[in-house]
């Protein structure tokens, strides 16, 4: 029977091997991640929220999580922003090398940022995840209502039975689509509301926690 264990990584340790964007139910859990390394590289990065050179990926030393940081991911209404600035998105296409004999899934994701939303305005963070060539897509949405002036955090979690696993024995690129959207709503005309997902101060980031299990033998 396949073994699996949901493994979490320490956020503070994730930045040691940063790569620029250019380039639960376990019957018999194991205590350590696979002995080989997981290697994650960015194949493509596209979107108004992640212009070239503004996103980076880092893998935790214990291979149980990876982090994406952004430096120019901002959605805004008002304040002289263009009419199209209310929505920003980013699609990451990742090449993931998985240790032989194992597969993985994205078990949970922690998103962080800052929001300044006037009374009557709202902000939305949305994400979807899928493997190249797979019809299975997982999507989650989180809404924040004004007045709001603070850091924000949203967590997507998936039950073990609902995890979407990478195909065994082949490498399939993994796609992450994220979106920030700010709606003016009934906020006063001329007011400014915005929402960011970025790494300006070095500690705001998006963390993806991995789940591992063994592939069936043969």
């Amino acid at each position: 029977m396949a073994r699996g264990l949901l493994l979490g990584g320490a956020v503070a340790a994730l930045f040691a091997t940063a790569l620029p964007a250019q380039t639960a139910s376990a019957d018999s859990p194991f205590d350590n991640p696979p002995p080989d390394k997981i290697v994650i590289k960015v194949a493509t990065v596209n979107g108004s929220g992640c212009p070239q050179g503004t996103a980076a990926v880092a893998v935790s030393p214990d291979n149980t999580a990876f982090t994406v940081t952004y430096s120019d991911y901002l959605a805004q209404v008002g304040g002289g922003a263009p009419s199209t600035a209310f929505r920003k998105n980013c699609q990451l296409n990742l090449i993931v090398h998985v240790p032989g004999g194992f597969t993985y899934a994205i078990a949970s994701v922690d998103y962080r940022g800052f929001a300044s939303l006037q009374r009557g305005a709202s902000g939305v963070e949305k994400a979807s995840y899928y493997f190249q060539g797979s019809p299975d897509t997982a999507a989650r949405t989180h809404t924040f209502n004004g007045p709001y002036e603070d850091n924000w955090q949203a967590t997507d979690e998936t039950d073990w039975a609902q995890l979407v696993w990478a195909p065994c024995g082949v490498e399939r690129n993994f796609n992450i689509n994220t979106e920030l959207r700010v709606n003016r709503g009934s906020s006063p005309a001329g007011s400014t509301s915005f929402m960011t997902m970025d790494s300006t101060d070095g500690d705001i980031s998006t963390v993806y926690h991995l789940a591992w299990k063994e592939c069936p033998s043969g």
Side-chain angles (χ1 to χ4, degrees):
M1 182 177 293
R3 298 178 296 166
L5 177 64
L6 176 62
L7 301 169
V11 174
L14 295 179
F15 297 93
T17 56
L19 298 173
Q22 276 91 323
T23 32
S25 177
D27 295 323
S28 180
F30 52 83
D31 295 329
N32 298 304
D36 193 5
K37 291 196 306 181
I38 182 173
V39 179
I40 300 174
K41 295 183 179 180
V42 178
T44 59
V45 54
N46 294 294
S48 54
C50 53
Q52 186 174 15
T54 65
V57 177
V59 182
S60 65
D62 60 1
N63 304 328
T64 64
F66 66 94
T67 296
V68 182
T69 59
Y70 304 93
S71 60
D72 193 21
Y73 206 154
L74 167 69
Q76 179 177 324
V77 292
S83 59
T84 56
F86 78 98
R87 177 187 178 274
K88 294 295 179 72
N89 76 291
C90 183
Q91 175 168 322
L92 295 171
N93 182 262
L94 305 177
I95 302 171
V96 183
H97 163 74
V98 183
F102 289 88
T103 183
Y104 76 98
I106 301 299
S108 67
V109 187
D110 300 317
Y111 292 98
R112 297 181 179 87
F114 183 83
S116 176
L117 304 172
Q118 300 296 319
R119 185 179 300 276
S122 62
V124 174
E125 180 273 321
K126 181 179 180 180
S128 60
Y129 321 91
Y130 64 96
F131 291 99
Q132 184 177 6
S134 172
D136 298 321
T137 301
R140 302 287 189 274
T141 300
H142 301 273
T143 301
F144 301 85
N145 295 310
Y148 192 103
E149 187 83 22
D150 204 349
N151 294 320
W152 62 268
Q153 178 171 338
T155 298
D156 296 345
E157 293 184 316
T158 304
D159 292 336
W160 186 267
Q162 303 300 319
L163 292 175
V164 178
W165 297 95
C168 286
V170 297
E171 287 195 356
R172 295 282 179 86
N173 286 15
F174 183 61
N175 292 279
I176 302 168
N177 293 305
T178 59
E179 175 184 325
L180 291 181
R181 182 188 296 263
V182 177
N183 302 306
R184 181 183 298 281
S186 60
S187 61
S191 63
T192 300
S193 293
F194 66 87
M195 189 171 182
T196 71
M197 183 155 58
D198 61 38
S199 59
T200 302
D201 60 4
D203 63 3
I204 298 176
S205 55
T206 301
V207 183
Y208 297 81
H209 300 277
L210 305 178
W212 291 97
K213 73 175 182 179
E214 289 183 277
C215 290
S217 59

